[in-house]
Amino acid sequence: MSAPADAATVAGPRRDAVGRRTVQLLVGLVLYAASITLLLRAHLGAMPWDVLSQGLTRVTGWTFGTVTVVVSLLVLACWVPLRQRPGPGTVANVLVIGVLVDPFLALAALLPDPLPLAARVLLLVLGIALNGLATALYVGARLGPGPRDGLMTGLVARTGAPVRLVRGGIEVVVVAAGWALGGTVGLGTLAYALAIGPLVHVLLPRLTVPARR
């Protein structure tokens, strides 16, 4: 008669772990959308993939959120030959960030324009720090990589090239394409590129949900 009780005892922690991972994923994605907004509003240079989204927004006339979703879907299509498999976190990444970016940008537009340089630098610093936290939260939830993360890991697995070279190569390509289309490249883009790796390196081990057997 002890088996059902034991099963319930095991199922309880598992449900708690799934619940924590789901909440952590969603919090991370909401913060990620907020970090995008802060960096864009700083007008000091966007994150690499957002430079591309900015450029496409100028060319197509679509909203930034719409372009973000479309780019994410196109990147996901690139997973097929790389044999990458999406998880629920992958789908949530596309939908949550894509849906929230436009409303967040509308709120940010209520700030005075132009902002003083000191305020723009503050937004940049806060945006980079928040992005590092958000990345560690959603990756640490272990519910599936974002489309761009999966593209990187898929290329690493298929080519055997070092992560830093693959990621760097991808970001150079998207920044160049975005800049050619009218996206904003600046000191903020460089600051993000230099700071995000160390930030995630420090935060990810502390925010990764332990695997449960």
Side-chain angles (χ1 to χ4, degrees):
M1 297 299 292
S2 61
D6 291 343
T9 300
V10 172
R14 286 181 178 172
R15 284 195 296 268
D16 292 343
V18 171
R20 175 192 163 180
R21 290 163 67 189
T22 302
V23 170
Q24 180 170 318
L25 170 71
L26 294 176
V27 170
L29 295 178
V30 171
L31 294 181
Y32 200 99
S35 72
I36 291 174
T37 303
L38 291 175
L39 288 164
L40 290 176
R41 189 62 183 83
H43 296 305
L44 292 171
M47 292 185 285
W49 280 96
D50 291 339
V51 175
L52 177 60
S53 293
Q54 274 187 320
L56 290 172
T57 297
R58 293 178 185 274
V59 171
T60 63
W62 298 345
T63 68
F64 191 90
T66 300
V67 169
T68 299
V69 171
V70 171
V71 170
S72 296
L73 293 176
L74 291 174
V75 172
L76 279 176
C78 296
W79 283 29
V80 176
L82 297 175
R83 300 177 183 176
Q84 292 288 93
R85 293 184 178 181
T90 309
V91 177
N93 186 290
V94 175
L95 297 178
V96 174
I97 295 175
V99 167
L100 291 181
V101 165
D102 285 341
F104 282 176
L105 287 173
L107 288 175
L110 299 176
L111 294 172
D113 192 21
L115 286 170
L117 179 59
R120 293 163 61 196
V121 171
L122 178 60
L123 290 180
L124 173 67
V125 172
L126 289 176
I128 293 173
L130 192 61
N131 189 267
L133 173 62
T135 300
L137 283 170
Y138 88 75
V139 172
R142 297 188 302 107
L143 288 171
R148 295 151 185 82
D149 299 321
L151 175 64
M152 178 192 68
T153 56
L155 286 172
V156 168
R158 296 288 285 179
T159 65
V163 172
R164 66 179 181 276
L165 291 182
V166 172
R167 176 167 180 163
I170 291 172
E171 293 186 348
V172 166
V173 170
V174 298
V175 167
W179 179 76
L181 294 172
T184 305
V185 178
L187 292 176
T189 309
L190 177 61
Y192 175 85
L194 293 175
I196 194 62
L199 277 173
V200 175
H201 178 77
V202 170
L203 294 172
L204 186 57
R206 293 166 171 78
L207 295 174
T208 297
V209 180
R212 292 182 180 271
R213 297 180 180 180

